[in-house]
Amino acid sequence: DLMSRSIAVAPSAYTFDFEGAVRVYSVPVVVTDTCGFTARTNASLSLVNENESPVWTTTFPPIFAFVRDGQLIGKALSSYVRDQDVDFAALTGDRLSFSLGGFVSSPVLPAGFDRSSLLAIDPLTGQLRFGNTTGIPALAASTAGNFVTVNVTVLATDAGGLFASTVVSFFTTDANTPP
């Protein structure tokens, strides 16, 4: 296009994808002037990698977990998220890190309870675990069904700062203690 000085490539001619095997393309260029004369050449087109956000590969069904300080909750979340920059990660050592984004909705906790200490997450694997659960058993006992529902946002962040978030829901009840 003369006005914008851009080149249009026929959609079916090439699929430009840095994640693919080809990253440098030789593109034939034909230039036609107003008199109908043409010139032909090949242009070299090099693709530059762009950081892409991680992607959660599933939505999570609610998880049931007994309340106990240090108790693991479900499986490590790293198996449910994909870093789209597989090639970039291999070159740079880029790894996803996991963090808690906050409670979406959660129980009304006892006065003075430090909400931030209720859950912990392993930043490398995304494994959730209970932290300080003081007060949760009594709260569960006071609710219908003897359990408390907690919804928390989990973030998977790549080295470039892009992230994907998801909500993980789980039901908690007092630890199952033997009679």
Side-chain angles (χ1 to χ4, degrees):
D1 180 10
L2 291 176
M3 296 303 289
S4 66
R5 296 180 184 222
S6 63
I7 298 174
V9 177
S12 62
Y14 296 94
T15 301
F16 299 114
D17 182 8
F18 187 87
E19 273 40 278
V22 178
R23 295 193 179 126
V24 178
Y25 296 85
S26 178
V27 181
V29 177
V30 179
V31 179
T32 307
D33 66 13
T34 56
C35 295
F37 293 106
T38 61
R40 298 176 187 275
T41 190
N42 283 328
S44 180
L45 176 65
S46 298
L47 300 182
V48 177
N49 194 12
E50 180 178 288
N51 188 23
E52 298 160 294
S53 298
V55 175
W56 290 99
T57 58
T58 188
T59 54
F60 301 97
I63 301 166
F64 183 81
F66 288 111
V67 174
R68 191 177 293 128
D69 289 0
Q71 174 72 40
L72 298 179
I73 304 168
K75 294 178 11 181
L77 301 178
S78 57
S79 57
Y80 300 109
V81 66
R82 181 173 53 88
D83 188 353
Q84 297 188 91
D85 300 311
V86 177
D87 55 346
F88 186 70
L91 294 173
T92 63
D94 182 17
R95 294 181 51 113
L96 295 178
S97 62
F98 296 88
S99 61
L100 296 174
F103 292 93
V104 177
S105 62
S106 62
V108 176
L109 298 170
F113 185 85
D114 180 9
R115 182 181 300 265
S116 66
S117 69
L118 177 61
L119 294 175
I121 190 165
D122 184 307
L124 299 177
T125 66
Q127 177 66 62
L128 288 166
R129 75 174 56 243
F130 283 112
N132 175 9
T133 59
T134 304
I136 296 296
L139 184 61
S142 69
T143 63
N146 240 8
F147 63 87
V148 175
T149 303
V150 178
N151 301 300
V152 64
T153 301
V154 176
L155 305 172
T157 306
D158 68 14
L162 296 180
F163 66 91
S165 65
T166 191
V167 174
V168 177
S169 299
F170 56 94
F171 301 108
T172 65
T173 190
D174 194 5
N176 188 14
T177 52

